[in-house]
Amino acid sequence: LTEAIKSSGGVPQKADSLVLIGPPGSGKGTQAARLAARCGFDHINTGAILRQEIAAGSSLGQRVEPYVRAGELIPTELLSGVMAARLRSASHAFLLDGYPRNLAQASALDQTLEELRQTIAGVIALELDDQTAAQRLEGRLVCAAEGHTYHRSLCPPSAEGVCDIDGSQLVARQDDRDLGALRSRLELFRAQTVPVIERYCESGLLMRVEATGSPERVAERLEYTLGASLSRNQPRARISRGSDRGKPGARAQSGTRRWAA
Ligand SMILES: [Zn+2]
């Protein structure tokens, strides 16, 4: 992938755009930020967009706040309008993080892409079991400004309580502190988002990546999977880190249904 990006002047083309999906605790936000920074994607972080609107007290923020607070899905027509506007403003390839989360949103995304005459190169699904997800979420810290995520023991910031990137205060999210809310988020993911993953699997766009282990290990698997999968479709798209690292748990296109109840 990085080779393809270099050959196009350092910026990935719109057709290289990706969607990243993962259950709560899978490290999706961390991986998205890292991949975007390494490969030059326009990182579209749905959670951060919504948090900014809520913090600003905009009319949109006021409408979405009750859903975010309760850990519920935001109504499709409300969210799809926000996302369509953001996608329209992307000048090069985007990395979509936190959207779509249900089939209605996936259909809305299809429609937006069609209107923009744009395609996506693939959909990455991070896979994690519920127990590991719960352990990770218990120590999770989020920066108040941009939603950069840390973990007290697994991924601590350089200075305690302060975001490495923008220096803002780190807080535990209310819904990470509450075990009941966590359970309902995992159930919501299984019921609403897993069907989206299955749909992308059927359309041949899906790449599955195991999300256990350190963030570095997951990033390595992710780039391996991305390079291997995209190079099948686009001969010049290949990550530069070499294929001699072996297969670090990459299972692109496998038919396993990790989250099936
Ligand atoms: Zn931050």
Side-chain angles (χ1 to χ4, degrees):
L1 179 66
T2 48
E3 289 302 317
I5 292 165
K6 273 181 210 152
S7 71
S8 65
V11 177
Q13 302 300 297
K14 282 189 172 183
D16 296 324
S17 294
L18 296 170
V19 173
L20 183 61
I21 299 176
S26 62
K28 178 174 61 65
T30 303
Q31 295 300 330
R34 183 186 291 241
L35 186 63
R38 269 182 62 84
C39 299
F41 287 102
D42 180 0
H43 180 192
I44 302 182
N45 178 343
T46 312
I49 293 172
L50 297 175
R51 277 191 291 275
Q52 281 160 10
E53 295 289 338
I54 291 169
S58 69
S59 66
L60 172 71
Q62 287 171 19
R63 284 161 74 196
V64 300
E65 186 169 14
Y67 299 100
V68 173
R69 199 170 280 279
E72 288 172 7
L73 289 167
I74 294 157
T76 302
E77 63 279 7
L78 181 55
L79 188 56
S80 62
V82 178
M83 298 312 292
R86 181 63 183 81
L87 288 168
R88 217 165 276 132
S89 76
S91 60
H92 59 284
F94 59 76
L95 177 63
L96 196 46
D97 165 12
Y99 184 89
R101 291 193 180 200
N102 60 23
L103 288 171
Q105 291 176 5
S107 297
L109 175 61
D110 283 351
Q111 202 181 328
T112 302
L113 291 173
E114 203 177 311
E115 282 163 19
L116 297 173
R117 297 173 192 280
Q118 190 180 342
T119 55
I120 51 174
V123 175
I124 304 157
L126 297 176
E127 298 189 313
L128 193 70
D129 61 277
D130 288 1
Q131 201 186 341
T132 310
Q135 282 167 356
R136 286 183 178 179
L137 289 172
E138 275 166 13
R140 188 156 83 152
L141 298 167
V142 180
C143 104
E146 298 278 341
H148 300 124
T149 54
Y150 299 84
H151 192 280
R152 284 195 179 88
S153 56
L154 301 172
C155 179
S158 305
E160 197 182 328
V162 179
C163 177
D164 290 351
I165 298 163
D166 51 42
S168 51
Q169 194 194 351
L170 299 180
V171 292
R173 271 170 37 171
Q174 186 59 47
D175 53 356
D176 287 349
R177 283 180 237 158
D178 178 351
L179 202 65
L182 170 60
R183 193 155 300 164
S184 76
R185 281 165 67 203
L186 289 169
E187 277 165 15
L188 197 62
F189 183 85
R190 206 168 336 205
Q192 305 255 359
T193 313
V194 168
V196 174
I197 293 170
E198 287 167 356
R199 180 178 140 154
Y200 284 126
C201 185
E202 282 161 20
S203 59
L205 286 170
L206 193 68
M207 296 167 259
R208 296 179 191 270
V209 176
E210 180 74 41
T212 52
S214 68
E216 291 74 22
R217 197 85 182 88
V218 178
E220 200 172 279
R221 279 186 214 122
L222 203 160
E223 291 194 19
Y224 177 88
T225 304
L226 205 49
S229 184
L230 294 184
S231 62
R232 265 206 301 278
N233 303 328
Q234 304 166 14
R236 285 188 306 149
R238 201 176 292 275
I239 60 170
S240 59
R241 301 177 70 177
S243 55
D244 55 346
R245 288 167 170 268
K247 274 193 165 185
R251 292 186 295 125
Q253 306 288 350
S254 78
T256 47
R257 295 175 59 178
R258 167 64 62 119
W259 300 295

